[in-house]
Amino acid sequence: MNTVRTSSQVTLPAASGAWREGDPPGRRRWYVRESPLVLEAGGELPGVRLAFETWGQLAPDRSNAVLVLHALTGDSHVAGPAEPGHPTAGWWDGLIGPGRALDTDHWYVVAPNVLGGCQGSTGPSSARPSGRPWGGDFPFLTQRDHVAAEAGLADALGIDRWALVVGGSMGGMRALEWAVSRPERTGALLLLATAAAAGAEQIAWAGIQVHAVRSDPNWQGGHYHDTGRGPLAGLGLARRLAHVTYRSEPELQVRFGRSSQGTEDPWGGGRYQVESYLDHHAAKLVRRFDAGSYVVLSETMNSHDIGRGRGGVRAALSRVTAATLVAGVDSDRLYPLSQQAELAAGIPTADRLRVIASPHGHDGFLLEGEQVAALVRELVHRGHPQGASHRPGLLP
């Protein structure tokens, strides 16, 4: 990967932090779709591949499969250390493994990188059939397209029905879509810090972030992947904006207050500690993510409406048959508890809304591992799917 070095001596990619062909594969495997994917917004996407990782062993009757779905800037590396091919450690590492809530001595856990992503699945940084990156020509996707691609992966693995589907934030949108569009394939459902439909404020925040990326002179209409100049500044700004919405005001105040960063003087061009914190998270994302994927997936999240074409949200939620738990984070200002309350009230198989206590805001669903593990343990023994033997499209 070609890189550039900033004045602070942080090594950044020249154009994109996406995984590209020739990079170490890490623990990834790939599912290759045999036909183009017909898209909800019109047209089709040829050459679809999904990168995925698995933990544990699939039972002979295929009754022990669990689907874990990541959020906007997540990927398939849910568990395990940072290693060649995986720039960061697993984002829910404490949840998966022997003796953990998703005990891999019993459960077969599958985590795909979402369609449109940048860590091995087909997205803007991927080559189209002509061999050139899709870039700005990558088509508009919805959560229904994501789930259609993931259903192909499930078919390839021989999984007719997931014992459990779990996701938070954007992953929760996909998990909900699984339960509404394919109730016969969803045995149990855990929804965390998500919504039945994207709200106006969520659309506004995401829209500002997309504008920040597209306003970068190096965006080049999205066709920057092979130019050596990518919209890193725009992506970093988008991440700074997003990260403020992911955390809570009290947490930021307690951690940083008005303190300056080290010996820097904010009155003389230096930074406050909270600014340094946001700079750090921007640099981290730029090193492992792609601006085109950020735009595509942000617009996908904004399109989310489980009731679209289904008679509205209430009618759509009534389709869910999976045993369901819905949880939100008490300090979440991006996806407030009222949105999870709507889900818990509208899903016939859900009980009361569960509340994760956390000072960390929206990110609490990632950081409060013990509380999330307790919710998982309530569900993992419900729903035992029937298996099938057809296994098309898997690559070792």
Side-chain angles (χ1 to χ4, degrees), residues 46-47 104 187 232 240:
T104 50
L232 306 187
R240 290 175 177 87

Side-chain angles (χ1 to χ4, degrees), residues 30-327:
W30 278 269
Y31 155 70
V32 180
R33 187 178 173 89
E34 297 173 344
S35 60
L37 180 68
V38 177
L39 303 176
E40 184 185 4
E44 59 184 27
L45 181 62
V48 168
R49 300 199 322 166
L50 290 186
F52 67 100
E53 296 178 48
T54 65
W55 297 263
Q57 296 293 322
L58 186 61
D61 64 357
R62 299 173 173 84
S63 64
N64 66 334
V66 174
L67 180 64
V68 176
L69 301 173
H70 66 75
L72 171 61
T73 61
D75 54 37
S76 64
H77 198 54
V78 183
E83 57 187 288
H86 301 295
T88 57
W91 48 270
W92 249 353
D93 191 59
L95 202 66
I96 297 170
R100 296 175 179 174
L102 290 173
D103 188 341
T104 50
D105 290 335
H106 182 71
W107 299 103
Y108 179 66
V109 180
V110 180
N113 181 215
V114 70
L115 183 66
C118 62
Q119 286 296 320
S121 293
T122 300
S125 60
S126 304
R128 65 177 82 194
S130 68
R132 300 279 305 209
W134 276 99
D137 294 332
F138 195 80
F140 188 92
L141 298 178
T142 70
Q143 305 295 345
R144 299 179 193 186
D145 300 325
H146 288 172
V147 171
E150 290 161 4
L153 168 62
D155 293 341
L157 292 169
I159 297 168
D160 283 349
R161 188 169 185 257
W162 300 103
L164 168 65
V165 179
V166 55
S169 193
M170 186 185 79
M173 296 175 181
R174 290 151 63 200
L176 180 61
E177 179 61 32
W178 263 99
V180 168
S181 64
R182 292 163 175 82
E184 75 286 355
R185 303 191 72 169
T186 309
L189 179 67
L190 177 57
L191 302 175
L192 302 168
T194 194
E201 187 172 27
Q202 290 148 358
I203 293 170
W205 281 119
I208 294 169
Q209 293 162 44
V210 167
H211 186 71
V213 174
R214 287 180 167 154
S215 295
D216 189 314
N218 289 329
W219 171 246
Q220 303 176 72
H223 297 290
Y224 56 85
H225 293 93
D226 289 337
T227 69
R229 297 180 296 107
L232 306 187
L235 179 58
L237 178 55
R239 182 60 166 185
R240 290 175 177 87
L241 290 166
H243 202 75
V244 173
T245 71
Y246 296 160
R247 311 304 281 231
S248 73
E249 185 277 332
E251 180 202 17
L252 294 178
Q253 181 63 29
V254 169
R255 290 180 64 182
F256 305 113
R258 294 186 47 80
S259 298
S260 60
Q261 177 62 24
T263 60
E264 296 183 31
D265 179 8
W267 287 27
R271 297 171 299 172
Y272 291 98
Q273 281 187 3
V274 69
E275 293 176 298
S276 175
Y277 169 73
L278 296 178
D279 289 346
H280 168 73
H281 282 281
K284 280 180 61 178
L285 185 74
V286 166
R287 289 196 295 271
R288 66 173 180 84
F289 213 75
D290 177 64
S293 284
Y294 199 95
V295 167
V296 165
L297 297 179
S298 294
E299 291 184 333
T300 298
M301 291 180 72
N302 281 353
S303 77
H304 172 60
D305 179 359
I306 201 66
R308 183 176 57 252
R310 293 168 172 158
V313 166
R314 183 173 294 276
L317 295 180
S318 71
R319 300 185 183 191
V320 177
T321 60
T324 301
L325 288 182
V326 181

Side-chain angles (χ1 to χ4, degrees), residues 4 15 17 51 236 256 326 381 386:
V4 295
F256 305 113
V326 181
H381 295 296
Q386 299 298 315

